[in-house]
Amino acid sequence: MAGAVRHLLAFGLGAACAASVPPDRIFVSHAGSASISVLDSSSLSVRERIEVGLLPHNLVVSPDHRTLYAALVGSQAVAEIDVASARLRRTFLTAPVPAMRADGSVIQAHRDQNAFAHATCYDCHRDGGASPKYAGDRPFGLLLSPDGRSLLVSHLRSSDVAMVDLETAAIERVVHLEPAGAASEPVALARQGNEIWVALRPPQPSTQPGALRRLDEATLAPLGDVPTGSDPGALLALPEHGRVLVSNFESNTVTEHDARGAAIPHEAAPGPLGLLALPEQRVLVLDYYSNAVTFLDFRAASSSTVALGHDGVPFANPTHAALSSDARSAWVVTSGTEGHLLQIDLSSAAIVRDVSIDGLSFDVAVVPGAFR
Amino acid sequence: MKHLHAVEDVMTISRACIASLTLCCSLGACSGGGSSSNQAPDAGASGRGTVNGMVTDIGTGARVPNASVSGGGQSAISDSRGEFTLSGLAAGTVTISVTATGYAPGYATARAGDQAAPVIVSLKQQGTPQTYDATTAATLSERTEAGPYALILQPSSLDTTDTHLRVSITPLDPTKEKKALPGNLVTGGSSPSLLLPVTFAEFTILDSAGKRVQLKASASALVELPIPPSLRASYPLGTKIHCYAYDSTTAAWEDFVEGTVQISSVDGTSPVLSASVRHFSWYGGAPQGQDCADVYVNVVSAVDGKPLGNARVEATPGTTAYTDADGSAHVIAALGSPGSSYTAYQTGFDVDGSLTGIKGAKYIEFGVVDEDLVGLVKRSCTGTAAPLAPATHTAAVIGTQGNPLVIKVGVLKDVIYEAIATLAAGSGGSSGSAVVILTAGPPGPDGKLANPQPASGAKITLTDSSGQSIPLAETGAGSGFYATTSAFTITPGKSYTLSIDADGNGSIDGSGTIVGVGDLAWINPTNGANVAADTFQASWSDTGTAAANPAYAPVYIATVQGSSDLAFYLGTDRQFPVLSALSNAPLTAGTYTATLLAFSGVYAQVGGGVRIARNITGAGVTGTLLSLGGAPEPITFAVH
């Protein structure tokens, strides 16, 4: 695809320039402040702020739109949020609380305080609490089963993928992923047909190659590896192409991969991270290091990069985006130290609204329907 | 041997043991530091949308003339006193950029509004330029006492084909030079969070035409930033530390990624923070703070005690605030960081000449308190910037609403003070001592001290980490020589802060912190020993380790000298494998003499030696604060 860069010329504030806004609830994970905020798409006001645990990152919404799950990277847990009430329903561990350290020594505090009965490390490991503040195996990638009854969770530190039964919150199965060369951190998950794809990256920083590990969906047994760049950021299944799209965070490209190892690169801007499927075979790429987004158009075989800014000041470090329920807008999180949530009109590629959010925010999820 | 009471002793040890470690001192007739008639400058704050500022050198304390200053669409050049004014600014936060020849770029923010906003921008002298051919792979480094700062470039990764690039790596150790870090290390939004600086550097690559060069869109580079010795216990190998790059367009620290603490690829021993970069600018690691405290400050004139409104207060590390009409301000300070300080200053115009002697002259009132406040109720470093509900403290706790931390400020003069200070820890029944030689003079054309003369009338205080302090007395009228005169135990391994009120007007103008170095003794070899060359590991003990102070990381210099071979060690470990400096192989057999020295201070490694850097910083005050360890007698031994 030929790449083109343009700057946003149109920047309108308020409803005058905005497309009509469906009544959506917007959930944003704030990695820097242990919380998730819930905004009303009409007013862009924060209606609720939910304290969930340390380093909330990836978000997924259940197929029935009733439940939101957030990976708590610093608390070895997932937060389960009731969408209707915007309340934390429960938290569950994604890996058992360890009794011993890696060197074999007993963690006496876990024994003394019966840490094994807790449902999140955040109960003890937090500001002013037990050290280290960030505890556990760093759950990061999330993937719901199509029926919404189980959740796959990948762990950066242990290289494990856990399957959690969402009715009981029990860890049903754990699969340890053997490293592919230096690539040992499972950073993202995607479902492609009857396969689960896992992006494995080497611990950063690194110039060693990463890999895409294909797993059998039913057994989670490995089916093979596909080579990729040194820092794969996110995965997006492209069912109509029979491929998986990976963002190559270390470069300025995203690449389509198939199971046979074919790779089709597409130009984005430096630091592509989040990937959002758009209508009409388009994909929105969040270009973290470039303060930009790139529109990939598979039908037109083109890409177009748009800088995010206002009055010459960039909206720094876009990470992830979510589609509005009418599929006419994308809600984009920019995760700089002054964070923003941007509404981008997909027909004009213009920012039509923005609101300040916490710095170091990460992901966004949209659930149709207004607050009651 | 260890307890130094005169500069000549310092210079003797310097010459004998550290050939390339230079301490310079010039003494002449005394002109005195003097004190000013100072009063609260309530008439000084003037002008809507105006920023009055000063550019200083963080390393020398000198004011920096001819610096280009821009912000809010306005620009200025700093005058011969390093001062500048930006006027006609729209109300709100102004991002200020400062460039000066020989310095890494500096940045600051100021609040433009109804009253003139004060700002002091501290610049760091740029690292030594290194040549680089963009078509090659290279590891470029700059060495300091903390270890090597490195930039690792892949061939053809830069957005240029120039083969004559100049790369400058400017190290910044936040435990000593936090004030030169641009902007505020705070995440914003409705739930701001304080970041704790660990290790930073500025990377500049210029092409043959002097234009800045960046990476290609498809490329990245690796950087390695050493963990300061005093922070190594807090950030062991394998630790993940959040890294940020300073973005001058947003005036914030952006590009958050995780780096990992690992062993330096340059020297193979120093722990460094390794991370990838996509933009060359200021870059470094700063995890979120865990324990913070609300700190209440009261800024007053050092002369008459009147409160000072509209003064800028900077907690380091911490937030920035401005005083109200009562001189009061609230800041959030991170606890547990070495070298916490609270700075207050204000700028204005001396309408009637009562402050400076010159009608209409610009002035700066400045004061600093270096203190790790004890007893404050902890709060999370994340959350609203507003103070939490008042906590119950005992009356003795400083920094509370009922007992605010008082910062006295006084007018800075057009005089530069330079201090050379040594701290000798006590041992064998001795309590230890501290001596300071203070000189003063006018700034030369380069802003640095010219024609130094002994400075009398200063008030100098030594404070330990528990808050106990002792004044240093001038030992003879007009001598500029100050020393501890009564028993004050200086314990090896404990931290001490030297505060200098150079002109004696009641406000602290500059300060430095050092750890007292202990007595050294050889463990291996011992005098008269016969050691095997192929397994020879030298080691020694240090009484300073008994204090168990994580900040205790003196630099040891060991030399092993024979008739035909020699070995050398410079670092913070208390052991080293003894290999020939000539062949990098085990020493040849023979008789050797070993010497050992330790000092606590700041240095840069230049060529084959080291250059002591200045670690007394402030406004108009610069200097070197060293602690030298008790060196054992040279030993003689055989190698087979």
Side-chain angles (χ1 to χ4, degrees):
Chain A
M1 289 184 185
V5 180
R6 61 196 166 101
H7 288 267
L8 278 179
L9 297 177
F11 186 100
L13 292 176
C17 297
S20 61
V21 181
D24 291 336
R25 287 156 289 179
I26 304 168
F27 294 76
V28 180
S29 60
H30 304 305
S33 49
S35 62
I36 288 172
S37 61
V38 193
L39 294 89
D40 177 322
S41 65
S42 300
S43 66
L44 284 187
S45 60
V46 175
R47 300 289 293 266
E48 298 288 344
R49 176 180 283 271
I50 310 163
E51 182 181 356
V52 288
L54 293 173
L55 303 179
H57 274 73
N58 285 308
L59 304 174
V60 292
V61 180
S62 64
D64 62 7
H65 293 157
R66 292 180 176 173
T67 307
L68 178 91
Y69 300 95
L72 306 178
V73 179
S75 297
Q76 194 170 280
V78 163
E80 181 181 289
I81 291 166
D82 179 68
V83 166
S85 64
R87 294 283 188 273
L88 180 66
R89 186 185 290 151
R90 64 178 175 177
T91 307
F92 51 83
L93 290 167
T94 60
V97 171
M100 292 184 292
R101 300 181 181 86
D103 62 7
S105 61
V106 171
I107 306 175
Q108 195 61 40
H110 282 184
R111 187 173 289 183
D112 295 344
Q113 300 172 30
N114 193 20
F116 316 104
H118 288 259
T120 171
C121 298
Y122 189 55
D123 288 345
C124 303
H125 295 265
R126 51 168 64 201
D127 281 342
S131 292
K133 178 179 172 183
Y134 304 120
D137 285 342
R138 307 294 192 265
F140 196 81
L142 299 180
L143 184 66
L144 274 166
S145 61
D147 62 7
R149 296 172 68 172
S150 67
L151 180 68
L152 286 177
V153 185
S154 69
H155 295 82
L156 300 179
R157 181 169 280 178
S158 64
S159 306
D160 288 344
V161 174
M163 179 180 287
V164 181
D165 182 296
L166 292 176
E167 184 176 340
T168 63
I171 300 168
E172 279 191 329
R173 194 190 315 172
V174 177
V175 175
H176 180 71
L177 302 179
E178 293 301 322
S184 61
E185 296 185 346
V187 70
L189 301 165
R191 176 175 286 99
Q192 172 65 10
N194 56 3
E195 295 181 1
I196 303 296
W197 285 49
V198 186
L200 289 168
R201 70 178 186 192
Q204 298 298 308
S206 176
T207 55
Q208 299 294 309
L212 304 180
R213 174 77 43 87
R214 296 167 43 234
L215 307 177
D216 180 88
E217 182 187 31
T219 65
L220 298 183
L223 301 172
D225 284 359
V226 173
T228 187
S230 63
D231 198 358
L235 297 177
L236 176 66
L238 302 172
E240 64 275 26
H241 296 256
R243 298 192 183 101
V244 171
L245 191 67
V246 58
S247 56
N248 306 307
F249 190 63
E250 77 285 1
S251 74
N252 63 334
T253 62
V254 296
T255 306
E256 289 180 73
H257 293 274
D258 69 15
R260 296 182 302 279
I264 305 171
H266 303 284
E267 188 176 340
L273 183 57
L275 302 168
L276 175 66
L278 303 178
E280 301 173 335
Q281 293 195 43
R282 291 199 302 165
V283 168
L284 185 69
V285 182
L286 288 301
D287 300 316
Y288 181 88
Y289 277 119
S290 310
N291 308 328
V293 293
T294 296
F295 289 87
L296 300 182
D297 188 330
F298 289 101
R299 291 195 301 200
S302 66
S303 68
S304 173
T305 295
V306 177
L308 303 175
H310 184 209
D311 283 347
V313 178
F315 293 115
N317 304 145
T319 47
H320 286 277
L323 202 57
S324 64
S325 60
D326 65 1
R328 296 169 69 178
S329 299
W331 293 100
V332 171
V333 168
T334 64
S335 68
T337 43
E338 296 287 343
H340 286 265
L341 178 68
L342 312 176
Q343 183 188 6
I344 295 182
D345 176 65
L346 295 176
S347 60
S348 64
I351 299 170
V352 290
R353 290 195 297 173
D354 90 274
V355 62
S356 291
I357 57 175
D358 288 4
L360 308 189
S361 297
F362 190 74
D363 202 0
V364 54
V366 170
V367 180
F371 281 88
R372 279 177 283 178
Chain B
M1 190 167 46
K2 150 179 189 185
H3 305 294
L4 308 171
H5 296 287
V7 168
E8 189 54 36
D9 288 343
V10 177
M11 300 181 74
T12 301
I13 283 180
S14 166
R15 283 195 296 268
C17 304
I18 321 172
S20 54
L21 184 156
T22 306
L23 294 171
C24 298
C25 170
S26 300
L27 294 175
C30 170
S31 64
S35 61
S36 67
S37 60
N38 187 346
Q39 56 186 299
D42 51 354
S46 62
R48 177 182 293 273
T50 297
V51 171
N52 289 327
M54 181 172 73
V55 184
T56 67
D57 180 323
I58 188 74
T60 67
R63 300 178 180 217
V64 179
N66 299 316
S68 297
V69 183
S70 61
Q74 307 295 325
S75 61
I77 302 291
S78 63
D79 61 20
S80 60
R81 300 158 71 208
E83 298 175 1
F84 65 88
T85 297
L86 295 174
S87 54
L89 299 168
T93 300
V94 180
T95 301
I96 296 168
S97 301
V98 180
T99 57
T101 302
Y103 292 91
Y107 304 95
T109 56
R111 182 189 67 177
D114 292 339
Q115 294 179 294
V119 69
I120 294 177
V121 185
S122 298
L123 299 183
K124 179 81 194 279
Q125 289 191 22
Q126 204 162 39
T128 307
Q130 304 172 63
T131 57
Y132 172 60
D133 176 349
T135 63
T136 63
T139 297
L140 305 164
S141 64
E142 179 92 16
R143 295 190 182 221
T144 71
E145 81 279 7
Y149 291 74
L151 173 62
I152 302 167
L153 294 163
Q154 298 300 311
S156 303
S157 60
L158 298 180
D159 195 15
T160 180
T161 56
D162 199 322
T163 57
H164 295 88
L165 301 172
R166 285 169 295 148
V167 180
S168 296
I169 302 171
T170 304
L172 189 145
D173 180 345
T175 64
K176 303 182 178 79
E177 304 167 315
K178 280 184 277 245
K179 288 187 171 60
L181 273 176
N184 293 320
L185 271 168
V186 179
T187 67
S190 57
S191 189
S193 184
L194 270 184
L195 305 176
L196 284 178
V198 173
T199 178
F200 279 81
E202 200 275 339
F203 299 90
T204 292
I205 302 182
L206 300 177
D207 64 15
S208 302
K211 182 176 166 235
R212 285 184 81 97
V213 173
Q214 290 288 348
L215 287 155
K216 286 179 178 171
S218 59
S220 60
L222 297 182
V223 298
E224 293 182 350
L225 311 172
I227 306 296
S230 60
L231 298 179
R232 287 177 185 170
S234 302
Y235 303 103
L237 293 177
T239 303
K240 302 284 188 183
I241 297 179
H242 299 171
C243 299
Y244 299 84
Y246 187 75
D247 185 334
S248 59
T249 60
T250 63
W253 292 88
E254 313 285 16
D255 295 359
F256 160 75
V257 294
E258 271 192 343
T260 305
V261 179
Q262 54 192 45
I263 293 296
S264 164
S265 66
V266 175
D267 69 5
T269 58
S270 300
V272 296
L273 176 60
S274 179
S276 63
V277 295
R278 300 295 285 270
H279 302 286
F280 296 124
S281 64
W282 281 101
Y283 191 83
Q288 286 183 299
Q290 291 198 37
D291 293 326
C292 287
D294 291 308
V295 176
Y296 294 87
V297 170
N298 191 231
V299 179
V300 299
S301 163
V303 173
D304 55 17
K306 286 184 179 175
L308 199 67
N310 195 39
R312 180 175 170 125
V313 178
E314 298 172 350
T316 309
T319 60
T320 295
Y322 294 85
T323 57
D324 60 19
D326 296 326
S328 300
H330 159 257
V331 292
I332 301 173
L335 303 176
S337 179
S340 294
S341 72
Y342 301 85
T343 304
Y345 57 89
Q346 191 207 51
T347 58
F349 294 96
D350 187 7
V351 177
D352 59 5
S354 60
L355 293 171
T356 63
I358 305 171
K359 285 186 178 179
K362 198 185 298 179
Y363 69 82
I364 298 174
E365 290 192 290
F366 181 91
V368 62
V369 174
D370 288 301
E371 190 161 341
D372 290 324
L373 298 177
V374 178
L376 291 170
V377 172
K378 293 178 182 175
R379 56 165 287 173
S380 169
C381 294
T382 301
T384 173
L388 302 181
T392 303
H393 292 91
T394 61
V397 174
I398 297 173
T400 63
Q401 274 180 302
N403 187 17
L405 176 71
V406 175
I407 306 177
K408 296 177 180 177
V409 298
V411 174
L412 291 179
K413 297 179 177 175
D414 287 344
V415 172
I416 292 178
Y417 295 87
E418 187 166 300
I420 296 174
T422 60
L423 184 77
S427 68
S430 163
S431 59
S433 64
V435 297
V436 177
I437 295 170
L438 189 66
T439 55
D446 59 356
K448 298 175 184 175
L449 174 62
N451 189 26
Q453 303 293 314
S456 288
K459 295 175 182 173
I460 302 176
T461 305
L462 184 70
T463 306
D464 68 18
S465 50
S466 64
Q468 299 295 313
S469 63
I470 184 172
L472 275 68
E474 191 170 9
T475 56
S479 69
F481 187 95
Y482 302 79
T484 48
T485 56
S486 57
F488 181 78
T489 301
I490 298 172
T491 305
K494 285 185 70 173
S495 297
Y496 294 86
T497 296
L498 191 73
S499 301
I500 300 176
D501 171 9
D503 54 13
N505 71 351
S507 65
I508 301 302
D509 305 305
S511 60
T513 298
I514 202 82
V515 182
V517 179
D519 289 332
L520 311 179
W522 284 105
I523 297 174
N524 185 52
T526 53
N527 198 35
N530 189 352
V531 299
D534 55 355
T535 59
F536 187 10
Q537 178 98 358
S539 61
W540 54 88
S541 63
D542 178 348
T543 59
T545 60
N549 179 0
Y552 187 63
V555 176
Y556 302 99
I557 302 172
T559 59
V560 176
Q561 177 77 56
S563 59
S564 60
D565 208 348
L566 75 153
F568 179 78
Y569 172 77
L570 187 149
T572 55
D573 288 339
R574 284 184 293 281
Q575 59 182 12
F576 73 105
V578 183
L579 297 173
S580 167
L582 304 176
S583 65
N584 202 35
L587 290 175
T588 57
T591 301
Y592 287 84
T593 299
T595 60
L596 186 59
L597 177 76
F599 74 94
S600 176
V602 183
Y603 74 84
Q605 199 162 341
V606 179
V610 295
R611 183 184 63 220
I612 292 292
R614 295 163 190 248
N615 56 346
I616 296 174
T617 58
V621 174
T622 179
T624 305
L625 173 58
L626 274 179
S627 178
L628 298 172
E633 294 291 343
I635 58 171
T636 302
F637 61 98
V639 171
H640 65 269

